[in-house]
Amino acid sequence: MQLEKLRFGTELIKRGFAKMQKGGVIMDVTNAEQARIAEEAGAVAVMALHRVPADIRAAGGVARMADPKKIEEIMEAVTIPVMAKCRIGHISEAKALESLGVDMIDESEVLTPADAFFHIDKREFVVPFVCGARSLEEAVRRIWEGAAMIRTKGEAGTGNVVEAVRHMRLMNYAIQEVTKMDESELYSVAERYALPYKKLANAVAEEMGIKLREDEQIFGKYSMAEITDGLFEVLKEVKKLQRLPVVNFAAGGIATPADAALMMLLGSDGVFVGSGIFKSSNPPAYAKAIVEAVENWRDSRIVAEASKGLGEPMKGEEIDKLEEMLQSRGI
Amino acid sequence: MKVSVIAAQGDVEEHVLMARRALKELGLEGNVIATIRKEDVAKSDGIILPGGESTTISKLIHAKSIAEEIKKAAKEGKPVMGTCAGSILLAKYGDEQIEKTKTKLLELMDIWVKRNAFGRQRESFQTTLNIKGIGDFEAVFIRAPAIIKAGNNVEILATLDDCIVAAKQGNILALAFHPELTNDTRLHKYFLELLLK
């Protein structure tokens, strides 16, 4: 092959990969057997994990990248794309996953964050990233950092869809507002969205009793002005397209076919199902039914039909009874 | 003219927008819709199978008997275009990945396809292809398949080393890459012009 003429890891290729997932269901799996069940049910991709979120929640402690051996077994077992999670800001876990050849990396709040200040600069990678977001603000920052796909954070491992719905509604409403704004208003939004990048520089400035210089590189090679301009460009794209410029999936608490259909109705491009399938009483049936519901969300008869006699869904938890909210990690 | 983009799964909307632009640029009257209703498919003059996951799309079009409608339309001489996953489904013969996943093909072209022929997402690429009848075209390959062998009745439109990446057999067009992801409407126009013949 004339390698010099091929270009790899461009934004078009990364965002394009995410577009191929649209209208599909991406399922969390912890071993080769589960991966095969997911592929057989019609999943468009699988997310390779050490534990599903419900078990991560129950186990406590630090949640990290899955064992590469497990990830490779899953990659061997199926022909559909295999994604894997790294901790927020953990550049080395992400590099390790890239070297394994996973098709997409989820920089995920479901794992314990590794960096209190920053997410990964995802433009530095050939492999595309998906990131969670609770709001337009978080989504715009992740897209500027190079995320090729956004998903709601929801509240993973709860089997409770309320937080995913909250995040999708917040995002949709904010996008509506963006479409009404002129450029100067949009720029003020960009300035506001840029503030969290200052956290590290502010902490040091305060500690040393100095003032931040305007052109200081505060995140990688980027100054505050460059970050603001970058976020402004993303916001202009949102205004023009009246949606996020990347694929936007629902995730975090989706447990039933009707949950999945609801997220599609709210404008999701597709659905991630974590614990909902392999914590139910009949994983193959749940997997098939959720694929069916995402495909046919407009036709409530098919959603009803798909929901029949599936057995027990995952038990689920009420949000206000939780000890820890995973979604507040990584803003 | 009425064009249906099969909306089972994948980058359906991108094809709808590109085909609409191509119609307009050609000055043709027509309608492009995304659909998974077999009634719509039956009534269309041309069909596009988008990119996505071939395993998923195949299951969905066979479960809803849309596969039968596509085959019928193709046999009546209506143009059908498949990109990436779509091109896999057009083939008569698949590789071991297609067999292993028991992916049902539409068997409309005398081609042998290999899934993920260039590797995983890390190996996905874009490059300038020379396409017969079109010229230089910026082509985006995403976990793309390749045609490794083609029957004598298949016209080869573009190759990349030993792989065929664009081919035509009568009214059927298979592209291993994604013209719908770029801004270049020439391949969509090429497809729409097949509808006029």
Side-chain angles (χ1 to χ4, degrees):
Chain A
M1 183 133 353
Q2 295 169 289
L3 274 169
E4 72 279 7
K5 290 190 179 161
L6 307 185
R7 280 169 293 134
F8 300 90
T10 61
E11 190 176 81
L12 189 60
I13 294 169
K14 291 178 181 173
R15 289 186 179 186
F17 169 78
K19 285 178 177 172
M20 297 312 140
Q21 309 294 308
K22 287 202 292 184
V25 182
I26 301 169
M27 301 181 191
D28 278 2
V29 299
T30 57
N31 57 44
E33 192 204 333
Q34 291 185 351
R36 278 190 287 265
I37 292 173
E39 184 177 50
E40 172 63 29
V44 287
V46 292
M47 179 73 70
L49 283 165
H50 175 55
R51 292 190 176 106
V52 294
D55 290 337
I56 290 175
R57 203 176 264 294
V62 175
R64 309 177 178 93
M65 168 184 86
D67 180 346
K69 187 161 169 280
K70 268 269 173 320
I71 297 172
E72 278 178 343
E73 282 168 16
I74 290 166
M75 285 165 62
E76 274 297 303
V78 292
T79 66
I80 53 177
V82 175
M83 307 181 177
K85 288 183 195 286
C86 74
R87 285 179 261 176
I88 289 173
H90 206 310
I91 302 163
S92 297
E93 280 189 353
K95 287 279 176 203
L97 293 173
E98 181 172 61
S99 79
L100 290 177
V102 303
D103 295 292
M104 184 173 241
I105 298 170
D106 184 358
E107 187 182 19
S108 177
E109 72 286 355
V110 172
L111 305 184
T112 310
D115 191 330
F117 298 110
F118 300 119
H119 282 68
I120 296 169
D121 186 351
K122 294 162 272 286
R123 290 161 289 205
E124 304 291 324
F125 286 72
V126 169
V127 166
F129 278 73
V130 54
C131 286
R134 288 179 298 180
S135 57
L136 181 63
E137 175 181 6
E138 292 183 6
V140 167
R141 282 196 289 271
R142 299 297 88 78
I143 293 167
W144 173 71
E145 292 159 5
M149 183 177 186
I150 294 294
R151 54 170 178 76
T152 60
K153 285 179 173 171
E155 190 57 34
T158 61
N160 191 339
V161 79
V162 65
E163 294 302 299
V165 171
R166 183 201 306 276
H167 300 160
M168 196 54 85
R169 283 208 185 278
L170 283 167
M171 220 177 293
N172 289 344
Y173 196 92
I175 290 171
Q176 239 178 64
E177 287 302 310
V178 161
T179 60
K180 295 179 210 152
M181 288 179 179
D182 63 29
E183 294 220 337
S184 75
E185 288 171 311
L186 270 191
Y187 197 81
S188 328
V189 176
E191 284 177 323
R192 198 183 163 87
Y193 284 6
L195 291 175
Y197 291 102
K198 258 188 168 164
K199 223 160 87 185
L200 170 66
N202 278 345
V204 172
E206 194 184 331
E207 181 216 55
M208 300 178 87
I210 53 172
K211 266 192 115 166
L212 265 185
R213 281 206 330 269
E214 273 299 309
D215 59 349
E216 196 82 60
Q217 295 177 333
I218 58 167
F219 169 58
K221 59 183 180 200
Y222 301 99
S223 69
M224 197 58 183
E226 286 166 329
I227 293 169
T228 310
D229 286 349
L231 298 176
F232 179 53
E233 288 306 314
V234 177
L235 281 166
K236 282 201 289 193
E237 239 183 317
V238 171
K239 178 178 156 86
K240 187 177 134 209
L241 300 170
Q242 304 186 21
R243 57 157 292 152
L244 294 185
V246 300
V247 165
N248 188 15
F249 266 47
I254 293 145
T256 67
D259 286 351
L262 172 63
M263 295 315 298
M264 294 303 286
L265 179 117
L266 291 172
S268 307
D269 291 316
V271 170
F272 281 89
V273 187
S275 322
I277 289 168
F278 292 99
K279 284 281 151 191
S280 72
S281 65
N282 189 349
Y286 265 91
K288 277 201 187 80
I290 291 175
V291 170
E292 184 89 339
V294 167
E295 169 62 18
N296 298 289
W297 62 271
R298 284 187 182 84
D299 190 336
S300 34
R301 282 169 311 175
I302 299 180
V303 176
E305 196 57 40
S307 308
K308 278 184 189 166
L310 292 175
E312 282 298 308
M314 72 177 284
K315 185 165 165 277
E317 299 192 57
E318 270 189 69
I319 302 298
D320 54 14
K321 305 241 165 77
L322 297 176
E323 278 178 26
E324 191 186 12
M325 299 278 269
L326 301 180
Q327 59 175 277
S328 48
R329 297 162 160 186
I331 56 165
Chain B
M1 72 177 52
K2 195 177 158 195
V3 177
S4 288
V5 181
I6 304 299
Q9 185 271 319
D11 67 338
V12 176
E13 191 191 349
E14 285 71 15
H15 268 296
V16 171
L17 295 174
M18 281 297 265
R20 281 187 187 150
R21 268 182 57 196
L23 266 178
K24 209 171 152 197
E25 286 170 21
L26 288 170
L28 295 171
E29 286 289 317
N31 190 13
V32 185
I33 58 163
T35 183
I36 42 165
R37 293 179 60 228
K38 59 179 182 183
E39 298 79 14
D40 291 329
V41 180
K43 275 186 259 164
S44 35
D45 305 304
I47 295 165
I48 298 176
L49 279 160
E53 280 307 314
S54 57
T55 47
T56 309
I57 298 175
S58 171
K59 282 192 178 78
L60 296 167
I61 61 174
H62 282 95
K64 295 179 159 294
S65 357
I66 296 168
E68 290 313 310
E69 292 299 334
I70 300 170
K71 281 191 201 178
K72 216 165 94 190
K75 281 175 186 146
E76 287 167 9
K78 293 177 181 170
V80 180
M81 172 167 78
T83 65
C84 194
S87 75
I88 295 174
L89 299 178
L90 295 174
K92 267 194 189 150
Y93 314 98
D95 66 345
E96 67 283 358
Q97 279 200 10
I98 292 165
E99 273 171 31
K100 184 179 143 196
T101 52
K102 300 187 197 93
T103 305
K104 276 200 238 168
L105 305 176
L106 295 169
E107 302 175 351
L108 294 171
M109 283 178 85
D110 297 314
I111 53 174
W112 281 254
V113 288
K114 183 172 160 57
R115 259 186 84 196
N116 302 325
F118 303 95
R120 307 191 70 96
Q121 176 58 20
R122 198 173 49 182
E123 285 84 38
S124 294
F125 58 92
Q126 58 184 99
T127 191
T128 309
L129 266 190
N130 191 274
I131 304 173
K132 197 175 153 190
I134 303 266
D136 281 354
F137 194 94
E138 188 61 22
V140 187
F141 291 80
I142 296 176
R143 285 174 51 99
I147 300 168
I148 45 173
K149 204 167 104 188
N152 290 332
N153 42 358
V154 176
E155 188 184 355
I156 294 163
L157 300 179
T159 58
L160 202 61
D161 279 2
D162 298 337
C163 300
I164 302 165
V165 291
K168 179 173 167 291
Q169 183 174 353
N171 51 322
I172 320 286
L173 188 60
L175 308 172
F177 53 94
H178 294 282
E180 74 280 11
L181 290 183
T182 58
N183 272 321
D184 196 333
T185 52
R186 282 178 295 163
L187 276 166
H188 283 80
K189 285 191 219 163
Y190 180 90
F191 169 69
L192 292 175
E193 278 164 349
L194 294 176
L195 270 75
L196 299 173
K197 286 177 185 157

